Amino acid sequence: MNALVIDDSTAMRLILRGILQDLGFEVSVASDGLEGFEMLPQLAAKLNVILVDWNMPNMDGYAFLRQVRKDKAYRKIPVLMVTSESDIKKIQKAFAVGASEYLMKPFTAEALREKLELVGVLG
Amino acid sequence: MSLAPPNNSVTKMEFDFIRQFILERSGIALDANRMYLVESRLGPLARRRQLNGISEVVARLRAQRSGDLALAVVEAMTTNETSFFRDVHPFESLRTTLFPEIIQQKGRVDLWCAACSTGQEPYSIAMVASESFPQLLSQKKLKILATDLSTEVLEKARSGRYSQLEVNRGLPAQLLVKYFKRQGRDWHISDRLKDAIEFQQTNLLTVRVAQKMDIIFLRNVLIYFKEDNKRRVLTNIRQALRPGGYLFLGGAETILGLDAAFETVRIGRTLCYRLK
Ligand SMILES: C[S@@+](CC[C@H](N)C(=O)[O-])C[C@H]1O[C@@H](n2cnc3c(N)ncnc32)[C@H](O)[C@@H]1O
């Protein structure tokens, strides 16, 4: 299984990568939405899930998600937003543009596993 | 002024005493390797009560085996771990199969969450109903009885308030924004869901439920009981279930060999038991 993690925090990329590897994923990382989007042509065919932060330089997670959902080649890839935004309006906004699930920071490894189950990439 | 911190490690003798005590009081058998659990649960309890570490807790229990401290120790030691939509599939089977079947048979559903802990399980069930069979809630045709031994977890369950860490776990975020309001750092569940649930304190070893249930959730609690107490609990549970009613256990639990009155049924990706 393959996952792409997009987060501008090095620490967060490490944490997410660690948990995902424990769950059996091969993990690619990008440090903002633009970099992540540019990696998609190479990765998309084998990608099972994308985890994306909201607030990042260059292209934020919201803009990234909109791009992904507009593109026929990427539209079906489950995208999990992993962010410290916990405003109800923000969460609704993310779903309105096609987020598959939404996880608020801080979170535990079990919480991430359960979200991956919910989007159907685990269990 | 310097105060030496009370010693919160537990001796073998103290651990054996606590184990025996918990077994007698709740029927729950702590694993022999759960010393850390005694330390992590009873250490804070000793501090809150300004007792001098676990040794003093044990000394007081030896002197008086019932009362306020005894209850607090039992509560602290019975694990309350839970999450929304735990294991997913049992809730799926309600939606796809059991709710439709029972609604067709009798127009209403009576369900018992027999060890509901802090309430995530009964609230998840109420959310399934609200999402897929809204008439169950609007016409008050779903009654969920939710019980637990611990008054502390029940108080929390009744309040319907959850931390961010708790709502992160297992709960689809679409349901979070639909059924919860944020207040400060907490999330409060809607009264509409609360209305379908009645919370009650009960001990599964002694409980008698007069009503006949269509479905009973008895998940992740049998694991704590020894064989003879498991039988006792199952007898009490069986008496509360109508013939043809369904029993759900936790993923690691089974009643095979314990009770021949049930047959195993597979619904989608979950196993449950039907009372013959
Ligand atoms: C691990 S939780 C299970 C919660 C939920 N059913 C789930 O599966 O997520 C176990 C619960 O059983 C309760 N319990 C333990 N012994 C009990 C007894 N004798 N009678 C009633 N409840 C009991 C504990 O207080 C605890 O809240």
Side-chain angles (χ1 to χ4, degrees), chain B residues 24-150:
Chain B
E24 283 164 17
R25 291 297 303 262
S26 70
I28 288 175
L30 296 178
D31 275 356
N33 60 10
R34 290 295 178 95
M35 278 172 107
Y36 74 92
L37 203 65
V38 171
E39 288 166 2
S40 68
R41 299 275 167 91
L42 298 190
L45 182 140
R47 214 174 310 128
R48 280 201 302 277
R49 295 183 167 243
Q50 299 180 333
L51 301 178
N52 190 21
I54 294 172
S55 313
E56 191 176 348
V57 173
V58 170
R60 288 189 178 221
L61 286 182
R62 284 190 199 277
Q64 196 194 356
R65 300 175 74 95
S66 61
D68 183 40
L69 180 66
L71 196 63
V73 168
V74 172
E75 289 198 351
M77 287 312 304
T78 46
T79 335
N80 309 117
E81 162 81 1
T82 188
S83 61
F84 288 101
F85 295 94
R86 184 172 187 173
D87 303 334
V88 187
H89 305 296
F91 302 92
E92 266 303 289
S93 73
L94 294 182
R95 185 180 67 78
T96 60
T97 311
L98 297 187
F99 278 173
E101 178 186 307
I102 296 165
I103 291 170
Q104 212 198 6
Q105 283 169 1
K106 52 176 268 205
R108 52 169 297 124
V109 179
D110 293 288
L111 188 150
W112 180 19
C113 263
C116 69
S117 189
T118 40
Q120 283 90 331
E121 188 173 77
Y123 285 128
S124 300
I125 294 168
M127 280 186 264
V128 171
S130 175
E131 286 294 294
S132 300
F133 310 93
Q135 77 279 12
L136 279 181
L137 292 192
S138 61
Q139 299 172 14
K140 302 203 179 304
K141 300 282 190 194
L142 170 66
K143 228 183 116 190
I144 302 175
L145 173 65
T147 67
D148 201 282
L149 177 65
S150 157

Side-chain angles (χ1 to χ4, degrees), chain B residues 249-260:
Chain B
L249 302 180
E253 298 165 324
T254 161
I255 56 168
L256 290 180
L258 279 172
D259 201 323

Side-chain angles (χ1 to χ4, degrees), chain A residues 39-116:
Chain A
M39 289 166 72
L40 282 183
Q42 273 217 26
L43 289 176
K46 52 170 192 174
L47 208 52
N48 301 91
V49 63
I50 301 172
L51 283 68
V52 64
D53 185 19
W54 192 308
N55 297 302
M56 292 179 292
N58 296 323
M59 184 194 282
D60 71 13
Y62 182 74
F64 171 86
L65 182 57
R66 294 183 59 147
Q67 291 298 324
V68 166
R69 289 302 180 240
K70 268 191 216 146
D71 198 311
K72 260 211 185 89
Y74 312 143
R75 191 175 288 162
K76 294 230 168 86
I77 305 172
V79 177
L80 171 60
M81 296 221 66
V82 185
T83 161
S84 49
E85 293 288 352
S86 60
D87 196 73
I88 289 190
K89 292 241 159 59
K90 280 274 174 78
I91 302 175
Q92 284 166 335
K93 227 175 124 184
F95 280 114
V97 295
S100 313
E101 253 305 333
Y102 197 102
L103 180 63
M104 292 175 285
K105 297 174 186 171
F107 57 88
T108 59
E110 299 89 70
L112 177 57
R113 183 179 49 74
E114 286 156 358
K115 290 286 177 182
L116 291 168

